[in-house]
Amino acid sequence: MTAALTATDLFFDQAACGLMATDAHGMILTANASLHAWLGMAPGALVGTRLHDLLPASARLFHYTCCVPRLQSEGAAHDIQIDLLMAGGARLPVLLQLMRQRDGDREIDHWALFRAGGRHAYENALLCKSEAADGAQNAQRQRDLQLQAVNTQLSAADLRKDEFLATLSHELRNPLAPMRSALDVLKIKHGNDEDARVIGAFDRQLRHLTQNRMQLRRAPVDMAALVRGAVHDMAPMMTAARHTLRLALPDAPLTVDGDATRLAQVVINLLGNAAKYTPDGGLINVELAGQAGHAELRVRDNGIGIPAAALGTIFQLFTQLEPGRERACGGLGIGLALARGIVELHGGEILVESDGPGRGSQFTLRLPLIAGCAVAEEIATAPGQPAPLRVLVVDDNVDAAETMATMLELFGCTTLLAHTAAGALALAPDFLPEVALLDIGLPDFNGYELARRLRGLDACASTKLIAATGWGQERDRQLARDAGFDHHLTKPIDIERLRLLLQ
Ligand code: ADP
């Protein structure tokens, strides 16, 4: 029976897989040379033996409970992996494809066996690699999430730091304000007697506490000459961009008490920005004039302009607006913040206006003129001395309000005090204040609201409203402007600055 089924042709024997045939009872009828070689058996040794003997116990069980029923019902079983026993007893994992065929009245099972070890190893390696890739991807995702969390924490910390610094500076300014005013009163009263030295020491230490770090080397500076010099310095930049620069200067000198180097830095920054943020061939107007005790410089361009929303933040450090970013020429957004710092140290102010993108910008710089200068002399009142005015002083800090009132009275002003917003509103209609100096943090409602309500009263329609507050950031100034304040002073109040505002 076995002889009839022996296949010896080359193709069968040398196939790249094991081939064999069994009868329905598992008797091996034929097997090729490849299978004999894999199992470590002499050629033909398998023929006549039972499949049963090639299978370890677990494979046997699997074969009879899974493969045989499938062969009976479907005539085939595919992709079955079992172990075969080799001659020495070791196991050879193989993958089976089985087919049952009828041969006359017999059923013959045809087996194709593929070595599974190599494929296994390959699959395992593949699995390991894909697990490693998944792991790396997960780790990267984790790192991204951590980075995101750290970024969020940093932004929150930065915001908290800003808020902390603003609060700290507010808390420091508040007690310093009455001390400054009280000291100014003492200086006026006892500045020339034997206490002058003690008062001088007190004054210097208080100034040290309140001054910004930048030191100015002050001397009389003619702004007209300074602006002429700055325009001359910037001429090559203007020419390179084919800008037309129109310069209007007064005939008489406009003298301020200032640091010429720092002030030139400010003017050059304004001219440089006008040149940078104006497309080639633009028009830049530079105009200097004396204006109510101030030297007023206007730098107007017909360039890219500034969106309304950015006007309030443009003087903050590191502000660079998106439309102008490619024109910034390596700028860092520091120039205007520095300019404002310098100008404020001089007791002046710097303002920006623009009708919006594409409609140009105008920067206005105002610096107090020193007494004796041509335009200052035009002022009717004695130089540096405010006219007698009715001043309403509103501050919930009683010490701060009283010392401020004393100082104003030394200037010849008539004062009235209120410590709440409601109190101020009650006093204003009879008092008809010409100036109202308002603290912002009041117990009933804040100074912004009070400013709005005072403006609504007939008695205060033309009152000069001055915010006197410990909050000195740009957004606080903007809030004050929005509420209708004419000026914003940070505490402790610079007496010279106040004196000029009262003129
Ligand atoms: P920068 O070095 O970036 O010029 P600045 O502090 O001088 O820094 O200016 C801050 C930003 O204000 C600029 O980046 C620009 O977006 C805007 N800016 C300043 N001047 C002008 C101007 N004349 N026209 C339009 N935008 C301006």
Side-chain angles (χ1 to χ4, degrees):
M1 179 176 68
T2 52
L5 289 169
T6 303
T8 53
D9 65 276
L10 199 60
F11 183 70
F12 173 77
D13 257 354
Q14 304 298 319
C17 58
L19 295 171
M20 71 175 178
T22 62
D23 68 14
H25 306 292
M27 179 69 73
I28 298 174
L29 304 174
T30 183
N32 71 351
S34 305
L35 184 58
H36 280 93
W38 289 353
L39 295 174
M41 294 183 180
L46 284 169
V47 178
T49 63
R50 293 182 326 142
L51 173 70
H52 187 92
D53 301 327
L54 271 184
L55 301 175
S58 57
R60 227 178 283 155
L61 187 68
F62 181 72
H63 179 66
Y64 290 112
T65 57
C66 184
C67 301
V68 173
R70 262 202 242 172
L71 281 173
Q72 284 168 347
S73 61
E74 297 166 28
H78 299 292
D79 294 331
I80 292 163
Q81 191 179 330
I82 57 169
D83 284 350
L84 296 183
L85 286 174
M86 297 170 70
R91 290 168 181 231
L92 179 74
V94 290
L95 191 71
L96 293 181
Q97 306 292 344
L98 269 170
M99 217 160 64
R100 176 161 288 184
Q101 281 183 342
R102 181 157 283 282
D103 178 27
D105 57 351
R106 291 188 309 172
E107 285 182 325
I108 308 288
D109 293 339
H110 296 272
W111 297 61
L113 306 98
F114 301 86
R115 298 181 72 148
R119 183 181 142 167
H120 243 356
Y122 169 72
E123 280 174 356
N124 274 342
L126 206 64
L127 196 65
C128 287
K129 285 267 187 307
S130 95
E131 277 171 3
D134 282 353
Q137 212 171 23
N138 279 340
Q140 181 63 43
R141 210 171 295 139
Q142 284 300 325
R143 278 197 297 274
D144 287 350
L145 285 174
Q146 278 168 0
L147 203 65
Q148 224 171 7
V150 169
N151 269 338
T152 313
Q153 280 170 6
L154 273 179
S155 309
D158 198 40
L159 196 70
R160 281 199 300 277
K161 179 210 71 188
D162 282 352
E163 280 166 5
F164 169 74
L165 286 177
T167 309
L168 182 67
S169 110
H170 176 256
E171 289 309 303
L172 280 174
R173 281 169 201 262
N174 263 345
L176 285 173
M179 286 166 69
R180 176 78 261 165
S181 305
L183 182 61
D184 286 331
V185 169
L186 287 177
K187 268 171 67 185
I188 292 169
K189 282 189 168 171
H190 304 286
N192 295 321
D193 60 25
E194 66 277 12
D195 292 331
R197 281 181 60 192
V198 182
I199 292 173
F202 189 4
D203 185 37
R204 280 189 295 282
Q205 293 312 311
L206 195 55
R207 268 185 206 289
H208 183 71
L209 265 180
T210 56
Q211 77 192 353
N212 291 312
R213 256 198 233 127
M214 193 187 292
Q215 297 288 337
L216 297 183
R217 289 166 196 269
R218 284 177 183 259
V221 178
D222 173 17
M223 282 304 288
L226 186 138
V227 170
R228 196 180 295 110
V231 166
H232 180 262
D233 289 351
M234 296 304 284
M237 190 171 175
M238 299 293 169
T239 311
R242 291 183 286 103
H243 292 321
T244 304
L245 189 144
R246 285 196 197 132
L247 177 64
L249 293 176
D251 296 333
L254 288 178
T255 314
V256 302
D257 178 29
D259 183 325
T261 313
R262 300 278 189 203
L263 290 176
Q265 190 181 344
V266 172
V267 177
I268 282 176
N269 184 255
L270 295 184
L271 294 176
N273 280 351
K276 277 196 296 183
Y277 300 111
T278 299
D280 284 5
L283 177 62
I284 295 166
N285 278 297
V286 181
E287 203 180 314
L288 178 70
Q291 199 66 251
H294 286 77
E296 191 171 279
L297 175 71
R298 291 175 195 273
V299 178
R300 193 168 66 247
D301 63 56
N302 63 350
I304 63 170
I306 298 166
L311 291 174
T313 56
I314 200 159
F315 292 104
Q316 278 171 18
L317 205 50
F318 306 126
T319 298
Q320 286 191 306
L321 309 178
E322 209 40 63
R325 203 174 280 275
E326 77 280 5
R327 302 183 151 267
C329 306
L332 294 170
I334 293 175
L336 287 179
L338 203 60
R340 192 182 69 182
I342 292 171
V343 170
E344 288 186 350
L345 276 181
H346 284 81
E349 61 180 351
I350 183 166
L351 307 165
V352 61
E353 292 160 78
S354 170
D355 289 335
R359 314 200 47 190
S361 315
Q362 174 169 291
F363 286 82
T364 305
L365 166 62
R366 263 190 220 118
L367 291 166
L369 291 167
I370 54 177
C373 143
V375 175
E377 277 163 5
E378 288 166 14
I379 297 163
T381 51
Q385 199 65 16
L389 291 172
R390 286 183 304 282
V391 184
L392 179 62
V393 179
V394 188
D395 197 322
D396 61 333
N397 182 329
V398 177
D399 285 344
E402 281 177 356
T403 47
M404 178 55 71
T406 312
M407 196 166 64
L408 289 167
E409 280 157 16
L410 285 171
F411 292 163
C413 300
T414 309
T415 60
L416 199 57
L417 303 189
H419 303 302
T420 61
L425 283 170
L427 294 174
D430 290 333
F431 184 55
L432 301 173
E434 287 156 288
V435 176
L437 196 60
L438 311 184
D439 185 28
I440 296 298
L442 293 168
D444 38 2
F445 48 89
N446 68 28
Y448 303 126
E449 182 56 28
L450 175 58
R452 281 191 198 97
R453 294 203 198 179
L454 284 174
R455 270 277 177 267
L457 299 177
D458 287 346
C460 297
S462 58
T463 303
K464 189 184 275 188
L465 296 181
I466 304 176
T469 156
W471 302 105
Q473 296 193 330
E474 178 51 36
R475 65 166 187 272
D476 306 310
R477 291 169 198 279
Q478 187 60 44
L479 280 173
R481 281 193 288 271
D482 294 346
F485 278 104
D486 299 296
H487 301 281
H488 176 278
L489 297 177
T490 39
K491 293 178 181 176
I493 287 170
D494 179 341
I495 187 173
E496 280 312 315
R497 196 135 183 243
L498 178 62
R499 199 201 291 258
L500 286 165
L501 293 183
L502 293 177
Q503 280 174 352

